[in-house]
Amino acid sequence: MSKKKLFLSSTDIHQMTGLCMRSARNMMAYIRDERHLGKQQVISIYDFCCCFHFPIHVVFIYINTDLFDKNPLDEDQIRREYQKYVLETGDMSYLYHKDFDIFMTPKDLKLRRDLEDLDGEELIA
């Protein structure tokens, strides 16, 4: 099994959005400015999703599989995929994917688990 890709290139953004390469590079520059990243620093899927409000799992699936055939994403397709994902997993988080846990500090992981435990207790009560 190959490693999953967690960072975006301008080609990935070009394919996802259907914009020209120059626009994709401009989007990457915008993300670096918004997220206070260095000029040569890589852009993660999370950074892209935070800036443009895409569901992380849709972008992750787009980059790492051939589900979308590398065609530009449209709003209806994203909405269908997100709703399907929510129904299958029950995960209502818009900006979370389990593969990003490796980037989280132990404190953040504990906080996420505590919040999940609280949500579970509220559903039971």
Side-chain angles (χ1 to χ4, degrees), residues 90 112-125:
R112 180 179 301 281
R113 282 189 210 110
D114 291 345
L115 289 173
E116 288 173 355
D117 290 343
L118 286 176
D119 289 341
E121 289 174 11
E122 289 174 6
L123 293 174
I124 293 170

Side-chain angles (χ1 to χ4, degrees), residues 80-124:
R80 279 193 309 272
E81 289 301 318
Y82 184 67
Q83 289 171 349
K84 182 174 136 184
Y85 176 82
V86 167
L87 289 173
E88 290 174 355
T89 64
D91 182 15
M92 297 297 288
S93 178
Y94 202 66
L95 289 175
Y96 172 71
H97 193 281
K98 63 181 170 51
D99 289 332
F100 283 94
D101 284 349
I102 61 171
F103 297 108
M104 297 178 76
T105 63
K107 181 180 176 182
D108 289 336
L109 285 171
K110 183 180 181 327
L111 180 64
R112 180 179 301 281
R113 282 189 210 110
D114 291 345
L115 289 173
E116 288 173 355
D117 290 343
L118 286 176
D119 289 341
E121 289 174 11
E122 289 174 6
L123 293 174
I124 293 170

